[in-house]
Amino acid sequence: MRAWVRPASCLGSERRNAFLQSNCGSFRADVPDLRARGRVRTRYIANWHSLSHSRHVRLFHIYAKAGTPFSEYVPDESTPELLLAWGQRVLAYAGRFRQSWCAAASATCTTPIDLFSSRGFDAWLAQQPEGLQVWLRTVETLSSVANTDTGDLFCQCIPSPSLSSAAGAEEASSGSGIPQAPWSVLVRTDYVCSSDLLRVPWPLAAIPSRIPPGAYALRRGCAGLPPSAIALAWALGTYTFDAYKTREPRALRQLQWQVSDETKMVESFAEAAYLVRDLINAPAEQLGPAALEACARALADRYGGSCRAIIGEALRTANFPQIYAVGRAAASRHAPRLVEMHFPLPEGRSPSRSPPSSSSSPNASKPLIVLIGKGVCFDSGGLDIKPAQAMRLMKKDMGGAAHVLGLANLLRSDPQLAERHRLCVLLPAVENAISGDALRPGDILTARNGMTTEVGNTDAEGRLILADALAYAMELNPQYIVDFATLTGAARVALGTDLPALFCSDEQVAREAMELGSLLGDPVWHMPLHRAYRKMLRSKVADIQNIGDSPYAGAILAALYLAEFVQTGREALPSRQSPETAPAAKAADGSARGSPVWIHLDLMAYAVGSSAGRPEGGTEQGLYTMYHLLRRRVLGAEVA
C-alpha cells in the first residue's frame, strides 16, 4: 500500500497552520520512531521550519502494508474516540477475507474447478483417455499418502479434458457456463454438508494452498455442498497473518462467487474467524488490555450497543478486586480493566456497580446471554514465573476474549437471532506481569461476591479474573452464561490441543453441544464437574484456594473453582458476603432468580501445526458449536 499525506495548496496562513496541526503533527512525531523500527521509509524529508513559510506541503511517500493496525500502538493517552478508531481498523483488517472472492472474472483468466464425489469421479474418469486415467490414479495414490491430514480430499491441476456428461456424475453447478480452459482443477471429496450456511467443509479449505495464484470458478459441484459452504471454506483456506511481513503481499487465489442472500451470513462468519485468529496472533506489545477494549468499542459501535471500561484503581472502587490484583503489576498503559458491552443499549443504567435495571428495559422479557472471555494479554506466570519455553506462546492467553468478540459478532450479525435475545459481553483484561507490586503466593483475595481465595500459585491467574466477572454476571439475572478461557494445561494433557474441554451445569445442554460439535466439525468434549474433588480446593486460611494440593484433575479443579461464583446447584455463602455485594435473591424487577445455564470452555485457541483451513497459529475452537447451540436455544432452530 502507498499512503500519501495530501498537499495543502493555496491555503491561507490560519488554514494552513490548522491543516499542518491536524494532518502532519502526529506524522512528524511518528516518523523517527517508525523509521527506527524499519517499517517506514520516507522518500522526501521536509524542512519542518520552512513549512510555515511555504504555500505547499511537501509530498511524503510512506511505504507501509495495507490495513495493518497491529503494527501501531494503541495511544498511551487513550480516549474512547481514539480507541474506537483503532478498534475499527482491526475490524476492517479482519474483513480482508473478501480478497478471496471475485464477483465476475473474465472467461479468459478464470480457471474452472470440477468437484466430484467418489462415484461421480469414477464415472467421469472411465470416459477419459487411458493415459490420463493411469496418470491420475498414480497422482491420487501419492496424494493420499502425502496428505493424510485432509482425509480423502484429492486436488490436482490437470490439462483440461472434455468434461462430457458421464453416467452418475453430478449436475453442473451455477458456474457451468465457463468456457473450456487450457487447464483445470480436479477435486474429489466425499465430504457431506447440508445447506446450513455456517457449516464449514474443512477438507475443501485445503484447495487454495494446492493451486497457483489466480481466479477460479466452480464449474461442476457435488450435491450436498452448497456454494456458500465452499466459499466459506475457501476464505478460511486463504487466511494468513502477515501484518509484520515486509515483503510484497502474497498473490491471491480468488474464487468467483456471486453475491446472494447468503452473502451477509457467510461474510459475518468468515470475519468472525479472521478476527479471532488475528487477535490471538498479534503480539502482546500491540494487543494489550487497551487494545481489547478498543476492539470491543468498535464492535459495540457497529451494532448499536454500549461499551464501558473500568480501569486500574477504579476496579477496586467498583468491587472487582481480583481483576485488579492480578493486573496491578503491569505498566500503566497495560492497566487492568473490565470491559462491559450490552446489546441492545440498556436503559436506566447506573454507572458503577448496579446491573441494568430489568424493569426499565423494554426488552427485559428477552433472554439474556452473558459471554465472558479470559483476557490475559500476556502471562509471564507472575512471581511463579513460567519457564521460557512455556512463556513463548503466552500472547495467546487472551484467546478466550478473542473468541467472545468473534461470537458476539456472529450473534449480532444474525438479524433474526439479534431480535430475540439480549447480549452482555464481559472481558476481564489484564497482563500478568512481575514488579514490586505483583500478586504474591499466599496472598488472600476477596472476590466480588465476598468469597476469599488463597493464592496458591500466581500462574493460576485466569480463574481469579473470571471469578469476578462470573459473580458480576450472576447479578444480571442471565439465562445463559458462556465463558471461553485458555485456562489449564491439564485439559491439553487430557484431550490434546484440538479438542476443547466443556464443563456445563446442565447435562442436556452438554449433550447437545457434543452432538452439534461432531456434526459441525468443531468438536468439544464434555468433562465432569465432579463435586467430590471440591475438597482438594480447601484452604486453611480462606474459603477456597485457586489450585489444588494434588497434581491431578487440574482442569476439573479450575472449573470447580469457577462454579463457586456461578452458584448453580449450591447455596451462597451469606456469612462471607456483605449486604452491598451479595447477589440478591430476586432480580431487579422482583422476579425470582433462576439458576442460569453455565457453559465453560477450556481451550487451546492455537494450532500447533497446520491443517486444512487452520494454519499454525491462533485458531477458533468451539466458536461454531456455541453459535449454533445458542441459536437453537434462543430460536428453537435445528441444525440439519
Side-chain angles (χ1 to χ4, degrees):
M1 172 187 174
R2 290 183 176 181
W4 302 87
V5 178
R6 65 185 185 275
S9 303
C10 304
L11 298 177
S13 59
E14 293 184 2
R15 291 182 61 199
R16 180 174 64 246
N17 291 337
F19 173 86
L20 292 174
Q21 183 177 4
S22 61
N23 290 274
C24 299
S26 61
F27 176 79
R28 178 183 181 184
D30 293 345
V31 165
D33 181 62
L34 292 175
R35 290 184 66 201
R37 297 174 188 276
R39 291 199 295 268
V40 173
R41 291 180 293 145
T42 306
R43 175 173 292 179
Y44 304 106
I45 304 298
N47 185 333
W48 288 96
H49 176 72
S50 64
L51 282 175
S52 60
H53 306 290
S54 172
R55 296 179 61 188
H56 300 278
V57 176
R58 281 291 189 95
L59 188 63
F60 291 92
H61 189 181
I62 307 169
Y63 290 95
K65 291 191 66 64
T68 53
F70 298 111
S71 62
E72 297 182 2
Y73 294 95
V74 176
D76 288 347
E77 300 297 329
S78 297
T79 64
E81 292 76 20
L82 289 175
L83 289 175
L84 175 61
W86 195 91
Q88 287 172 336
R89 292 187 61 201
V90 172
L91 294 185
Y93 183 55
R96 69 190 183 281
F97 67 88
R98 294 180 179 88
Q99 299 173 357
S100 304
W101 300 327
C102 55
S106 64
T108 56
C109 64
T110 303
T111 302
I113 297 177
D114 301 301
L115 186 62
F116 293 99
S117 67
S118 292
R119 187 181 60 147
F121 177 79
D122 291 338
W124 170 83
L125 189 60
Q127 296 187 355
Q128 305 310 310
E130 183 177 356
L132 181 60
Q133 293 187 40
V134 173
W135 179 72
L136 281 176
R137 292 297 187 191
T138 302
V139 173
E140 182 186 18
T141 302
L142 295 174
S143 176
S144 64
V145 173
N147 298 285
T148 55
D149 62 317
T150 58
D152 61 348
L153 176 74
F154 170 63
C155 177
Q156 182 64 42
C157 298
I158 64 172
S160 186
S162 175
L163 284 171
S164 57
S165 297
E170 290 81 4
E171 295 182 359
S173 71
S174 59
S176 59
I178 300 171
Q180 189 73 22
W183 64 285
S184 64
V185 177
L186 182 66
V187 179
R188 191 209 70 180
T189 180
D190 287 326
Y191 188 90
V192 178
C193 180
S194 76
S195 59
D196 193 296
L197 291 179
L198 298 185
R199 187 183 306 184
V200 186
W202 287 109
L204 297 186
I207 296 176
S209 64
R210 298 189 181 187
I211 57 178
Y216 297 83
L218 188 65
R219 176 168 59 184
R220 184 183 295 264
C222 288
L225 283 174
S228 58
I230 295 172
L232 181 55
W234 188 281
L236 297 181
T238 59
Y239 175 85
T240 183
F241 185 76
D242 57 358
Y244 297 89
K245 294 283 188 179
T246 56
R247 56 177 170 78
E248 291 296 321
R250 71 186 186 100
L252 296 177
R253 291 145 176 90
Q254 294 182 309
L255 178 69
Q256 182 176 332
W257 186 47
Q258 300 296 333
V259 175
S260 66
D261 294 338
E262 301 173 351
T263 300
K264 180 173 176 57
M265 284 307 298
V266 174
E267 289 193 344
S268 296
F269 199 62
E271 183 181 40
Y274 270 57
L275 178 62
V276 171
R277 298 179 185 189
D278 287 348
L279 294 178
I280 297 172
N281 286 328
E285 182 67 3
Q286 273 76 33
L287 198 92
L292 279 182
E293 179 190 343
C295 295
R297 289 188 180 278
L299 199 63
D301 180 73
R302 170 181 290 185
Y303 295 110
S306 65
C307 181
R308 69 161 182 163
I310 305 172
I311 305 172
E313 289 288 341
L315 288 166
R316 302 173 69 181
T317 305
N319 193 27
F320 294 99
Q322 296 196 165
I323 299 176
Y324 171 78
V326 171
R328 71 192 183 201
S332 59
R333 70 187 188 91
H334 293 314
R337 66 201 66 206
L338 176 73
V339 182
E340 180 181 5
M341 306 158 63
H342 284 273
F343 307 91
L345 183 68
E347 299 179 6
R349 176 85 179 155
S350 55
S352 181
R353 300 184 187 178
S354 303
S357 174
S358 300
S359 59
S360 63
S361 173
N363 301 312
S365 61
K366 298 180 181 179
L368 173 64
I369 299 172
V370 178
L371 305 180
I372 304 175
K374 175 188 170 185
V376 179
C377 296
F378 189 79
D379 182 16
S380 68
L383 293 180
D384 288 311
I385 191 169
K386 294 178 181 287
Q389 185 177 4
M391 202 187 300
R392 175 64 180 83
L393 290 181
M394 283 302 103
K395 67 178 184 178
K396 78 171 187 67
D397 212 18
M398 41 61 64
H403 277 74
V404 162
L405 290 173
L407 182 56
N409 187 65
L410 275 179
L411 292 174
R412 301 312 290 181
S413 64
D414 184 337
Q416 185 183 14
L417 183 57
E419 293 176 357
R420 296 283 295 275
H421 77 282
R422 294 173 294 147
L423 179 65
C424 172
V425 176
L426 300 176
L427 303 177
V430 302
E431 181 176 309
N432 189 18
I434 299 174
S435 76
D437 196 28
L439 186 67
R440 298 167 178 81
D443 282 356
I444 297 177
L445 306 177
T446 302
R448 181 178 179 85
N449 68 347
M451 179 177 287
T452 56
T453 297
E454 180 185 7
V455 179
N457 191 308
T458 62
D459 196 20
E461 83 297 333
R463 64 201 71 182
L464 296 175
I465 65 174
L466 288 174
D468 270 355
L470 286 168
Y472 178 58
M474 286 295 296
E475 300 170 23
L476 305 180
N477 194 32
Q479 280 67 44
Y480 298 95
I481 300 177
V482 182
D483 76 74
F484 288 79
T486 51
L487 204 61
T488 67
R492 310 288 74 79
V493 172
L495 300 176
T497 58
D498 294 344
L499 194 58
L502 179 141
F503 297 85
C504 186
S505 61
D506 188 302
E507 292 294 322
Q508 176 59 34
V509 174
R511 285 193 294 270
E512 288 183 26
M514 287 270 289
E515 294 169 359
L516 283 172
S518 177
L519 187 65
L520 298 168
D522 184 30
V524 296
W525 197 260
H526 182 207
M527 298 282 279
L529 282 166
H530 189 52
R531 299 288 178 179
Y533 289 163
R534 170 61 176 80
K535 62 179 180 291
M536 299 167 66
L537 293 174
R538 290 174 182 167
S539 168
K540 296 180 180 178
V541 294
D543 295 328
I544 197 171
Q545 59 180 338
N546 68 332
I547 61 168
D549 294 327
S550 167
Y552 305 117
I556 298 176
L557 292 179
L560 287 174
Y561 177 85
L562 297 179
E564 296 290 314
F565 300 87
V566 182
Q567 299 175 7
T568 55
R570 63 178 293 276
E571 296 295 326
L573 301 174
S575 61
R576 296 291 184 179
Q577 296 172 343
S578 65
E580 183 180 17
T581 61
K586 294 185 178 181
D589 61 356
S591 60
R593 177 189 296 276
S595 295
V597 175
W598 170 54
I599 302 170
H600 163 57
L601 280 170
D602 187 341
L603 67 163
M604 178 72 173
Y606 200 89
V608 295
S610 295
S611 60
R614 282 178 162 147
E616 182 177 348
T619 193
E620 67 281 7
Q621 295 178 327
L623 179 69
Y624 319 136
T625 297
M626 287 300 107
Y627 168 77
H628 280 293
L629 178 66
L630 292 174
R631 195 171 195 275
R632 171 189 282 186
R633 284 270 155 177
V634 173
L635 296 179
E638 294 294 329
V639 177

